[in-house]
Amino acid sequence: MCGVDWTMVLRFVEGVSPFLGALIGIWLAAHLAVSGFRKQKTIERRADWYERVHRDLVQLKSAYAMAAVLADSVGKELESRLVKSVPEAQLTFIASSAEAALYAERGALEAVMALRTELESLSEAESKGQNTVQRVMETAHQIQVAADAVATEFRADMRMSPPPITLMQS
């Protein structure tokens, strides 16, 4: 019968176990480090998206507000030209908002998507030659609502306290 020399087995386990433990420890540390890095990058991308969309919304609101004020003061003759002065801001916002499904929470996502739908509808109405002066003013208000939703959710997501003032402006 073949006998097992347990002394040799014990010495082998004593010799291999530190290396095996070190290997498992290194793998676990690397896994945790990569996981933490990925989470941090996701948070950074999310924060970047919120900041970018909020900035785009502020620029879009300014463009629409200017068009609404000027169109209101000069009349229908310049309405088409003024509404066409905002496409760059619109395109910038639409490009940023395309990532909403990746980064936005529910409230910001709904506000951004509703605004995109309104902008598309407004552009379509303008292309058909419809009077859009009143809709431009309403859209400027809807842009502010979306900006407030994005800012509020960003602050909540980053665990920041709410702003000391109400964000909504008339």
Side-chain angles (χ1 to χ4, degrees), residues 23-38:
L23 184 64
I24 291 171
I26 289 170
W27 178 85
L28 186 59
H31 180 71
L32 291 174
V34 168
S35 175
F37 176 75
R38 285 182 183 155

Side-chain angles (χ1 to χ4, degrees), residues 4-156:
V4 175
D5 186 1
W6 290 107
T7 309
M8 290 297 284
V9 171
L10 206 55
R11 285 188 183 163
F12 176 76
V13 170
E14 286 176 354
V16 172
S17 63
F19 297 111
L20 189 59
L23 184 64
I24 291 171
I26 289 170
W27 178 85
L28 186 59
H31 180 71
L32 291 174
V34 168
S35 175
F37 176 75
R38 285 182 183 155
K39 286 179 184 176
Q40 185 62 35
K41 286 301 276 181
T42 300
I43 290 169
E44 288 174 9
R45 286 185 188 125
R46 194 173 197 174
D48 177 60
W49 180 84
Y50 274 111
E51 291 168 355
R52 199 166 10 106
V53 167
H54 191 268
R55 194 176 316 111
D56 294 345
L57 285 167
V58 168
Q59 289 175 347
L60 186 63
K61 183 183 180 223
S62 296
Y64 267 85
M66 181 67 75
V69 167
L70 292 175
D72 198 32
S73 64
V74 297
K76 289 184 181 180
E77 309 84 44
L78 295 178
E79 174 193 350
S80 178
R81 220 169 48 167
L82 293 169
V83 171
K84 289 179 183 175
S85 69
V86 297
E88 186 177 318
Q90 268 185 324
L91 290 174
T92 302
F93 166 72
I94 288 171
S96 297
S97 67
E99 299 171 1
L102 296 174
Y103 300 117
E105 292 292 329
R106 185 181 191 107
L109 179 63
E110 290 172 355
V112 166
M113 290 299 126
L115 179 58
R116 279 186 67 165
T117 302
E118 176 60 26
L119 291 174
E120 290 167 1
S121 172
L122 185 62
S123 294
E124 186 178 320
E126 173 62 27
S127 69
K128 291 180 179 177
Q130 298 173 357
N131 184 350
T132 57
V133 173
Q134 183 60 35
R135 284 189 64 190
V136 166
M137 289 184 228
E138 292 169 2
T139 301
H141 176 74
Q142 189 174 356
I143 292 168
Q144 183 62 48
V145 169
D148 290 347
V150 167
T152 300
E153 290 209 2
F154 172 70
R155 294 181 76 84

Side-chain angles (χ1 to χ4, degrees), residues 141 144-145 148 166-170:
H141 176 74
Q144 183 62 48
V145 169
D148 290 347
T166 305
L167 295 176
M168 187 65 168
Q169 301 170 356
S170 301

